[in-house]
Amino acid sequence: MFMHDIIIVGGGLAGLRAALAAGGADAAVISRVHPLRSHSVAAQGGINAALGKTDRWEDHAVDTVKGSDYLADQDAVEVLCRDAPARVIEMERWGTLFSRTDEGHISQRPFGGAGFPRTAYAEDRTGHALLHTMYEQALKSGIKFYEEWLVTRLVLKTPYLNTGTNNGRCSGVVGYNIATGQVEGFLAKAVIFATGGYGRIYERSTNSIINTGFGCAVAYRSGAALEDMEFVQFHPTTLYGTNILITEGARGEEGMLKNKNGERFMERYSPHLLDLAPRDIVARAIQTEINEGRGFEGGYVHLDLTHLGAQKIKERLPGIRQISMDFANIDPIREPIPVQPGQHYSMGGIASNKECETSIPGFFAAGECSCISVHGANRLGGNSLLETIVFGKIAGENAVKYSKTSEFEVPDSLERSVLEESARISGLLNKTEGEPFFNIRDSLKAIMDEKVGIFRDEQKLTTALENIRELQMRYKNVFVRNKGSVFNQELVNAIELEGMLDIAETICIGALARKESRGSHYRIDFRERDDANWLRHTLVSYTRNGPRIEYKPVNITRYEPKRREY
Ligand SMILES: Cc1cc2nc3c(=O)[nH]c(=O)nc-3n(C[C@H](O)[C@H](O)[C@H](O)COP(=O)(O)OP(=O)(O)OC[C@H]3O[C@@H](n4cnc5c(N)ncnc54)[C@H](O)[C@@H]3O)c2cc1C
């Protein structure tokens, strides 16, 4: 058994920022991979903050609330935007090498849905620059790391799989050591989840392979509600063939989208912001062009950067150029990049307030796994990196405060949880026949791509939900061929698959119930936003009898919902 005042699960930007904020306390980070392999490292285009002389955090908040299609909680958005300049400057002081203007200020580029060039960047490798800085700071401050441990369960005072009615305090986690196969308990006074998004339940996704949403699933099974899961962001421009992200920064630098007739089609969909309309709008526009026969064969359009010139592309978008050359054999200096929309970001997640508290005392969430909700129905590019460092800090500070008022629990429930998890995992290992996990996983991804994508309707969603429930039945028969205990990735995948199915189910349930179109959730059978009935957050909780759905109001401070036009 291990013991720490504060356990942080996740070594990405949110987790590391929380660990730094937990400073003086005894804090440890558990991560499924080495922290520098977290998906944060892949972020490209930049991070938003009102740093400009004529920009104001209030304007950033207006853009964010409008971008969210008015579903974001406005009190939380105010925290995000007000704190942004201080957090970005802090990263700079800690050592992040941001790109610079000729005068030596942090350079900022225009991004989708923003009324000001507000996105600070380090070429097109911003996540890389930020995560390395944050990791250096974490090493310097002596934070303890448990690398390559998969957390499979929260330890609660009340029994596991509770009904959501009595959320006992969280007093630790159970981890599976991927390197050795050992199952261990971690006793803590407070636990923070910063476990990232769930993009990989889709096939066409820009996300790292590890972004299975397993952290959200662990929280869900332990009684924490998941919020607004139906809002899945599809990025307009992912590389045709591999779906590697082509940053919005490429359009921020004046790249243009064109259909097969060479037409700049965004003029028809967003006459003012054109290619820099918010992502939900641009993704739908591209998909409409493809569906109506104006895309190229195979289903893509062109992102044209050729007019930017070699120098600008090499200076501002070197990563994009490299990706295009390596994965599509195309040099964007000379040829347009073939792009199509792909899953990119999880707006939904573990329901949390702006103090990062969840419904379980002692259990906090921050970063992409949380739904605080600052992104509402559609996240603006550059706001997610920001969310990790603003709310990572708050989660760390509040976990410290909480830990000062709580004691370590007597480890009874921890021991019981460890025994149960060991039994569950060895049960999976000892099974001698059944269905391999990848059959079920690949079917899940195909269902999500086809039926729970950019354009949704009742029939597709109903079928998707039925199909997912069939897969849940098949999962009971899942079996792993590799019986080893050292780096058994097949076993890890099989464990996570159960969580992926849970997450997919909550997305479908939320999407089926929400009979309106808002942000990324577009129903062709209910094309309008319906504030009278649907200006509210979806909450889905796990119960033994299946998911339970509830709603809660949106926090509105000063931005009255309006028609969203760009
Ligand atoms: C290709 C790409 C480009 C992006 N570009 C931008 C951008 O330019 N600007 C922007 O604002 N946003 C961008 N985003 C989004 C942004 O990068 C992410 O939302 C953000 O970095 C998530 O950080 P995080 O700390 O919440 O999670 P992550 O960085 O995903 O880290 C999750 C951590 O949790 C750990 N973990 C998960 N489950 C478990 C478990 N069960 N047990 C133990 N450990 C676990 C993992 O090991 C990992 O360390 C981009 C996203 C992608 C995919």
Side-chain angles (χ1 to χ4, degrees), residues 11 13-14 31-32 38-40 43-46 149 151 245 368 382 384-385:
L13 277 170
S31 176
R32 183 195 190 296
S38 305
H39 188 61
S40 291
Q44 298 179 351
W149 283 79
V151 168
L245 181 73
E368 191 169 340
S384 169
L385 288 175

Side-chain angles (χ1 to χ4, degrees), residues 306-322:
T306 53
H307 55 288
L308 303 190
Q311 194 190 345
K312 193 168 181 184
I313 291 177
K314 285 181 187 167
E315 269 176 28
R316 305 269 178 92
L317 301 165
I320 290 310
R321 179 168 181 239
Q322 199 63 49

